[in-house]
Amino acid sequence: MELGVDGVLMNTAIAQAKDPVKMAVAMKHAVIAGRLAYLAGRIPKKMYASASSPIEGVIGR
């Protein structure tokens, strides 16, 4: 079922685009990017949030 719905949505986006070929290429790249992101893996879950950037050197601190 889900693949059928996804196929219809994909077809509509491509068929109704001003440039269907470019839209198809864009969708292809989106699928590849999604797969690569999945294969790269999630970051580990944490119990609490933490800053991803250091605070040292920030102006005004």
Side-chain angles (χ1 to χ4, degrees):
M1 167 80 181
E2 186 175 321
L3 290 177
V5 172
D6 289 346
V8 169
L9 293 173
M10 187 73 70
N11 181 61
T12 301
I14 293 169
Q16 294 185 5
K18 286 184 181 179
D19 188 333
V21 174
K22 285 183 182 174
M23 181 62 76
V25 172
M27 295 294 186
K28 176 183 175 180
H29 287 294
V31 170
I32 291 169
R35 181 66 180 160
L36 287 173
Y38 172 79
L39 293 174
R42 294 181 46 123
I43 61 172
K45 290 183 180 182
K46 296 181 180 181
M47 184 71 98
Y48 301 100
S50 61
S52 61
S53 300
I55 296 176
E56 294 177 30
V58 174
I59 297 173
R61 290 252 175 207

